[in-house]
Amino acid sequence: MPSRCQSAVLAVIVAATLTPSAAVGQNAPAPQPFRPGLGDLMTMLVQPRHLKVGLAGMERNWDYAGHAVHELEESLEKVAKTVPKWRDMDIAGLIEGSTKAPIEALEEAVKAKNIARFNEAYTQLTAACNACHQSTKVGMIVIQAPKSSPFANQDFRPTKP
Ligand code: HEC
């Protein structure tokens, strides 16, 4: 059992530890809303979604491929809405104009479970990514079909035979 005196000392120490220092509170900057830019959205949303569509095709995982194509489409729509203009360029219009047709072709290929058509549509999509990078003067950003999966914690093989 701690003595009364020891308990009192302990209480003072605990109170001192829990009381936030006034100086820290005053100097801390106010939290800012997270506003990702075009390059952030491309890296966070579009790049991994494009990759996962490719992996779904490699595994002939049609159930997952349908899901992955839809997610990629939504990511591109979010980019168009969040950054419609960039350096005076019509990003929303370019996204719609360049990626709509290959995404539709991918959807058709997935429905038909046709790997030849899927691969052709995926090549067109990847070419559309690169064509837009060229026309927005970031042609040094070159997208390609993935050769292997960087997602070690996700299994892309079909769950049903
Ligand atoms: C509107 C045309 C456009 C389309 C379509 C487009 N991109 Fe981009 N992308 C850009 C621009 C512009 C940047 C540079 C943004 C910046 O620097 O802030 C960029 C940046 C990127 C980056 C960042 C690269 C790095 O290393 O910093 C990646 C990755 C990327 N895009 C992937 C893709 C993929 C994959 C697709 C196709 C599914 C695609 N993009 C389609 C315009 C486009």
Side-chain angles (χ1 to χ4, degrees):
M1 270 291 271
S3 72
R4 264 190 177 192
C5 181
Q6 279 172 324
S7 300
V9 169
L10 214 83
V12 169
I13 293 170
V14 169
T17 318
L18 294 179
T19 308
S21 144
V24 169
Q26 274 161 14
N27 293 340
Q32 300 289 317
F34 178 49
R35 292 193 210 282
L38 182 57
D40 302 323
L41 293 170
M42 286 280 165
T43 304
M44 292 190 302
L45 303 179
V46 178
Q47 184 174 24
R49 295 286 182 206
H50 169 273
L51 208 164
K52 288 181 173 195
V53 171
L55 295 175
M58 276 164 78
E59 297 289 354
R60 315 276 202 276
N61 188 344
W62 302 118
D63 283 348
Y64 179 75
H67 165 80
V69 171
H70 180 70
E71 292 292 330
L72 174 64
E73 191 179 16
E74 284 195 341
S75 296
L76 288 165
E77 282 167 11
K78 277 177 199 154
V79 175
K81 277 192 194 139
T82 313
V83 192
K85 274 214 157 71
W86 183 80
R87 295 187 185 166
D88 279 341
M89 283 176 278
D90 177 14
I91 296 300
L94 282 165
I95 287 179
E96 164 95 11
S98 63
T99 62
K100 200 173 176 235
I103 291 214
E104 276 169 11
L106 274 169
E107 283 167 349
E108 291 301 315
V110 169
K111 264 190 221 141
K113 301 188 182 183
N114 185 319
I115 190 64
R117 277 169 62 190
F118 181 93
N119 286 339
E120 197 185 312
Y122 192 67
T123 303
Q124 280 167 13
L125 172 71
T126 306
C129 307
N130 290 326
C132 198
H133 291 159
Q134 301 258 344
S135 51
T136 49
K137 301 188 179 63
V138 290
M140 70 294 187
I141 300 171
V142 181
I143 302 303
Q144 61 177 4
K147 296 178 173 70
S148 60
S149 170
F151 300 102
N153 62 350
Q154 188 170 357
D155 189 348
F156 292 93
R157 293 169 300 177
T159 49
K160 287 182 276 186

